[in-house]
Amino acid sequence: MNSVKLAKTPLTLSLILCITLYFNVVDAFFNLTCRCFPGDSCWPTTHQWDNFNMTIEGRLIATVPIASYCHNDAFAPYDEQKCAHLKSIWGFPKTHYESSSSIMAPYFANQSCDPFLARDAPCRIGTHVQYTVNATNFFDIQKTIAFSKEHNIRLVIRNTGHDYLGKSTGPGALGIWTHHFKDIEVIDYSSRYYTGKAVKVGAGVQMFEINEVVHAHNLVVVGGNCQTIGFAGGYSQGGGHGQLASTFGLAADQILEFEVITSETKILTASQSLNEDLYWALAGGGGGTFGVVLSMTSKAHPELRTAAANLTFTNAGISRDTFFNAAKIFITGLGPILDAGGVSIWLLTESMFTTTPTTIPGGSKDQLQKLMDPILQTLKRDNVTYRYFIEDFPSYYESYQVMNPVSNITEAQLGGRLIPRSLLDSSPGVIMNAFRNILTLKNTALLSGVSVNVSRQADVQRNSVNPAWRDAAIDLVVGTSWNYTNWDNDLANRELITNKLLPELEKITPGGGAYLNEADSAQPDWKQVFYGSNYDRLRDIKQKYDPDDTFYAITAVGSEHWTQKADGRLCTS
Ligand SMILES: Cc1cc2nc3c(=O)[nH]c(=O)nc-3n(C[C@H](O)[C@H](O)[C@H](O)COP(=O)(O)OP(=O)(O)OC[C@H]3O[C@@H](n4cnc5c(N)ncnc54)[C@H](O)[C@@H]3O)c2cc1C
Ligand SMILES: *[C@@H]1O[C@H](CO)[C@@H](O)[C@H](O)[C@H]1NC(C)=O
Ligand SMILES: *[C@@H]1O[C@H](CO)[C@@H](O)[C@H](O)[C@H]1NC(C)=O
Ligand SMILES: *[C@@H]1O[C@H](CO)[C@@H](O)[C@H](O)[C@H]1NC(C)=O
Ligand SMILES: *[C@@H]1O[C@H](CO)[C@@H](O)[C@H](O)[C@H]1NC(C)=O
Ligand SMILES: *[C@@H]1O[C@H](CO)[C@@H](O)[C@H](O)[C@H]1NC(C)=O
Ligand SMILES: *[C@@H]1O[C@H](CO)[C@@H](O)[C@H](O)[C@H]1NC(C)=O
Ligand SMILES: *[C@@H]1O[C@H](CO)[C@@H](O)[C@H](O)[C@H]1NC(C)=O
Ligand SMILES: *[C@@H]1O[C@H](CO)[C@@H](O)[C@H](O)[C@H]1NC(C)=O
Ligand SMILES: *[C@@H]1O[C@H](CO)[C@@H](O)[C@H](O)[C@H]1NC(C)=O
């Protein structure tokens, strides 16, 4: 600043100085541009955390990374046996969802306390949440929101921790853990819009729990293929596909109402007739940003007989062309199965194709067999050896139990794209070419598809699910394997997905979308790709119910106002 000016405009300048000083003081006292970070002077003292803990009846958990006994650092003494055991169960989702902080997606764990690294590798809280509130009632959540606002601390909602995009963790964050909201009630619901059976579930209920209960009532709900994901959390709020999605629509389409706590710590009911805008946003607009859902009420449907088949073949003894031609016949020939209300979950790599399973809920074995015949004939004609199994099940539940392999955590990095039905019908060769290009660029990549038609129920009230879902025939995921001890290679794979592999799919689906729960967290233009034409309205609803951006999650609605710095600090951009 120049002293001549200073002499010339004393009044204006002192005003400016005064304002600047004011902001400096406020900034120093209460960091305005960034969330307060551990180590900052604004970070609460131990005494303040203790006081907070007392107001929530001792439910505050200070994070101790679950792999701490694999390292020399701080938290716990090194214990070889415990560490070996932990490594042997690391792939099971339970290892992580029973923890208040553990992160399944390895990229977002950032090797903070990685059991597969050497004993002398650091073990830090790192990208885990710093503290978590093991919430069991409305007041726990209300007080946690208030405390995080008072101290300007990053707030994260954690349910099971399955999220692929790192949305249920955050460096320097305080977590609200919803896992123990386990109530399940089967009810008769009646409103202007729906009369029939429904389930009301607490935010922490997982697929395997709800499936048991509805089956006992001879009912089904639209749920995921993975038994351990949360039903009311990121899954249903983000869309939610599964083997019943061609029959009834997406999980988000089944939602009748939510009980939700907003950033202003009010408890609201959101439905088609109450706080309709919030209801619309929460049904499909993604978890972690509009408020904390306490409970969700969703439609339940009568049980139905189900036919299911699985099929596996490899490239052993056949040419690459023969192998990919067989895969093409299956994948691009799924239209009639979708039209019959079926869903196919399949996986294609350079050397193997498998569908586990392909299902027609409400259909018969004969019907499904006829639809499988073209691929089986091709396999026979081309001398491809395969394993095949088909069965009629008296209920969807039994089909799900027998045909659905148990899911581990996903130790892969991924990106995704919704492939439109029109492209499948008009240009099957174009789709298969793109898949082959991807496998040529990265021969260890995997392509995982859920082939489905979520628009067969024309009367369903439209919600904020990405419109691209409505035209889709395949939710496609591209994955690259993770190596716990080769971080540089993992980072290179991540860039490969964003810059090389996904563009092969973007090229053939210009202006298209992706499923926000199964996508690349570094997706350029994510607002358009994940939310399509719904984005602006979603952002307005976010501003209305969370004007201070109390909730943040990477790629969630409203997150464009924030940037996470290299050290994890979250600042407004
Ligand atoms: C092995 C595996 C299999 C999968 N299979 C399927 C599948 O078949 N179909 C499918 O559609 N998806 C599937 N997914 C993706 C799944 O839908 C997402 O991972 C989803 O985010 C899981 O939700 P969650 O609540 O269990 O997880 P979390 O990671 O705990 O949370 C996910 C997001 O939801 C937010 N959230 C959680 N609870 C609440 C709440 N009460 N209120 C507000 N926000 C909340 C979190 O803040 C976060 O942003 C699968 C994922 C994995 C890892
Ligand atoms: C405010 O944030 C900055 C980083 O942007 C940090 O260096 C500083 O310590 C913080 N101030 C206080 C008072 O915590
Ligand atoms: C909170 O209080 C409970 C009960 O007194 C205690 O067990 C727990 O360790 C406390 N949490 C923290 C982070 O201090
Ligand atoms: C699943 O995880 C468990 C525990 O880590 C592991 O033993 C098992 O091999 C994994 N299964 C698959 C199919 O990867
Ligand atoms: C969380 O709370 C539930 C319900 O009170 C309790 O059963 C569980 O042990 C708690 N978990 C932790 C890690 O404190
Ligand atoms: C198909 O499912 C049956 C029944 O669960 C199982 O025994 C078989 O191994 C599966 N086959 C393939 C190819 O996945
Ligand atoms: C399949 O095998 C039969 C018998 O061995 C052979 O005659 C036929 O040419 C083979 N077909 C192909 C496509 O390889
Ligand atoms: C889904 O099925 C309906 C009803 O059969 C049909 O009109 C629609 O075109 C199909 N959509 C997709 C994307 O397959
Ligand atoms: C993982 O990377 C290490 C090098 O850091 C290598 O030795 C190892 O073979 C890799 N593992 C796999 C399964 O590729
Ligand atoms: C991830 O780990 C690296 C290496 O330890 C560290 O420099 C970086 O700050 C961490 N990132 C985050 C977001 O915490």
Side-chain angles (χ1 to χ4, degrees):
M1 178 126 345
N2 131 358
S3 56
V4 180
K5 266 191 190 163
L6 200 149
K8 272 187 183 164
T9 56
L11 191 69
T12 321
L13 193 86
S14 52
L15 206 68
I16 291 171
L17 271 179
C18 191
I19 291 169
T20 314
L21 197 70
Y22 170 78
F23 278 116
N24 281 344
V25 167
V26 170
D27 217 20
F29 179 68
F30 191 96
N31 234 326
L32 282 179
T33 51
C34 297
R35 291 281 178 239
C36 193
F37 204 63
D40 291 353
S41 56
C42 53
W43 189 255
T45 61
T46 307
H47 182 65
Q48 286 170 318
W49 284 111
D50 286 346
N51 280 344
F52 169 53
N53 193 12
M54 280 188 332
T55 70
I56 51 167
E57 290 169 347
R59 306 208 138 264
L60 183 68
I61 302 170
T63 293
V64 173
I66 60 172
S68 40
Y69 35 64
C70 296
H71 300 284
N72 296 330
D73 269 12
F75 307 99
Y78 176 77
D79 186 324
E80 191 178 345
Q81 271 185 346
K82 279 187 176 171
C83 181
H85 176 66
L86 181 68
K87 283 195 270 194
S88 77
I89 60 169
W90 192 258
F92 299 137
K94 191 173 185 175
T95 304
H96 308 275
Y97 68 69
E98 292 295 353
S99 144
S100 63
S101 60
S102 190
I103 303 163
M104 295 187 200
Y107 171 75
F108 292 97
N110 196 36
Q111 302 192 316
S112 300
C113 186
D114 188 322
F116 300 100
L117 296 187
R119 177 177 171 173
D120 60 2
C123 174
R124 299 165 295 217
I125 292 183
T127 54
H128 298 96
V129 290
Q130 292 280 321
Y131 290 90
T132 313
V133 172
N134 184 7
T136 55
N137 60 45
F138 161 71
F139 299 104
D140 296 338
I141 295 177
Q142 194 185 40
K143 285 171 185 152
T144 308
I145 295 173
F147 184 80
S148 84
K149 285 171 83 167
E150 183 188 344
H151 295 279
N152 186 32
I153 295 171
R154 179 171 177 177
L155 187 63
V156 160
I157 308 164
R158 172 191 176 82
N159 185 19
T160 63
H162 269 95
D163 200 86
Y164 290 119
L165 291 87
K167 292 169 74 175
S168 43
T169 190
L174 169 60
I176 295 174
W177 191 24
T178 57
H179 183 57
H180 292 281
F181 283 88
K182 291 289 193 188
D183 291 346
I184 301 179
E185 235 186 305
V186 175
I187 58 174
D188 291 302
Y189 191 89
S190 178
S191 76
R192 189 139 60 89
Y193 304 95
Y194 174 77
T195 298
K197 290 287 178 189
V199 286
K200 181 176 180 185
V201 300
V205 169
Q206 290 166 279
M207 281 322 311
F208 64 90
E209 294 164 324
I210 184 72
N211 285 340
E212 288 297 321
V213 171
V214 292
H215 180 61
H217 287 78
N218 212 25
L219 298 169
V220 294
V221 291
V222 174
N225 305 314
C226 170
Q227 297 256 19
T228 55
I229 52 177
F231 183 45
Y235 168 76
S236 285
Q237 291 175 46
H241 64 66
Q243 293 169 56
L244 289 167
S246 291
T247 314
F248 302 116
L250 289 166
D253 303 338
Q254 316 306 313
I255 302 170
L256 297 163
E257 57 183 73
F258 292 102
E259 280 179 290
V260 49
I261 305 179
T262 64
S263 69
E264 274 144 355
T265 67
K266 280 194 270 227
I267 184 158
L268 300 179
T269 298
S271 70
Q272 273 165 267
S273 46
L274 280 169
N275 302 299
E276 301 95 309
D277 52 357
L278 184 58
Y279 166 81
W280 180 83
L282 282 168
T289 194
F290 299 105
V292 184
V293 166
L294 263 185
S295 77
M296 175 181 86
T297 305
S298 282
K299 292 178 191 172
H301 305 276
E303 254 292 7
L304 59 182
R305 68 180 293 189
T306 295
N310 61 22
L311 168 72
T312 301
F313 57 87
T314 71
N315 66 349
I318 55 174
S319 72
R320 191 170 191 259
D321 281 342
T322 303
F323 173 70
F324 279 114
N325 182 57
K328 178 184 161 188
I329 301 273
F330 183 88
I331 294 166
T332 64
L334 281 166
I337 289 186
L338 305 189
D339 292 339
V343 171
S344 179
I345 301 160
W346 50 264
L347 180 75
L348 173 68
T349 69
E350 182 65 29
S351 57
M352 192 257 300
F353 175 85
T354 183
T355 172
T356 50
T358 293
T359 307
I360 303 186
S364 70
K365 181 175 162 180
D366 283 352
Q367 182 190 14
L368 179 57
Q369 182 59 51
K370 282 200 188 77
L371 293 164
M372 294 293 284
D373 276 342
I375 177 74
L376 298 177
Q377 275 156 18
T378 305
L379 295 174
K380 281 181 197 138
R381 184 198 69 198
D382 291 350
N383 296 337
V384 182
T385 38
Y386 61 87
R387 288 195 299 134
Y388 177 66
F389 176 80
I390 183 165
E391 189 62 281
D392 249 331
F393 294 92
S395 66
Y396 174 74
Y397 177 84
E398 276 149 288
S399 169
Y400 185 83
Q401 298 302 322
V402 175
M403 301 301 287
N404 216 33
V406 171
S407 305
N408 272 5
I409 64 167
T410 306
E411 289 162 314
Q413 305 193 83
L414 52 84
R417 196 79 178 173
L418 293 162
I419 310 290
R421 174 71 184 260
S422 54
L423 191 68
L424 186 80
D425 289 343
S426 68
S427 319
V430 167
I431 296 177
M432 206 57 206
N433 258 343
F435 293 177
R436 286 182 71 155
N437 290 347
I438 288 171
L439 294 169
T440 303
L441 285 163
K442 181 77 184 172
N443 73 355
T444 55
L446 52 88
L447 294 159
S448 158
V450 175
S451 295
V452 66
N453 174 352
V454 303
S455 310
R456 291 176 74 254
Q457 299 292 316
D459 57 334
V460 167
Q461 142 109 10
R462 289 298 177 238
N463 45 31
S464 61
V465 165
N466 188 347
W469 254 119
R470 302 298 172 193
D471 302 322
I474 311 174
D475 171 35
L476 189 83
V477 165
V478 181
T480 56
S481 61
W482 182 265
N483 184 335
Y484 284 95
T485 60
N486 202 341
W487 181 255
D488 289 344
N489 192 49
D490 295 330
L491 287 190
N493 280 338
R494 189 174 149 81
E495 298 209 340
L496 189 75
I497 289 175
T498 309
N499 300 322
K500 293 276 192 306
L501 307 187
L502 275 181
E504 291 294 327
L505 299 171
E506 289 161 358
K507 257 189 268 178
I508 62 166
T509 58
Y515 174 29
L516 62 86
N517 275 337
E518 296 180 339
D520 176 13
S521 62
Q523 173 73 51
D525 207 7
W526 56 267
K527 285 196 251 176
Q528 172 61 33
V529 176
F530 294 0
Y531 304 92
S533 55
N534 289 335
Y535 194 79
D536 291 349
R537 181 164 175 221
L538 284 166
R539 191 204 44 222
D540 291 348
I541 295 168
K542 162 81 171 171
Q543 269 162 11
K544 174 175 168 189
Y545 288 96
D546 184 18
D548 301 329
D549 276 353
T550 299
F551 301 106
Y552 163 89
I554 183 168
T555 71
V557 170
S559 62
E560 71 269 28
H561 304 141
W562 298 87
T563 314
Q564 184 176 298
K565 306 286 180 204
D567 64 354
R569 185 186 290 275
L570 191 64
C571 300
T572 52
S573 39

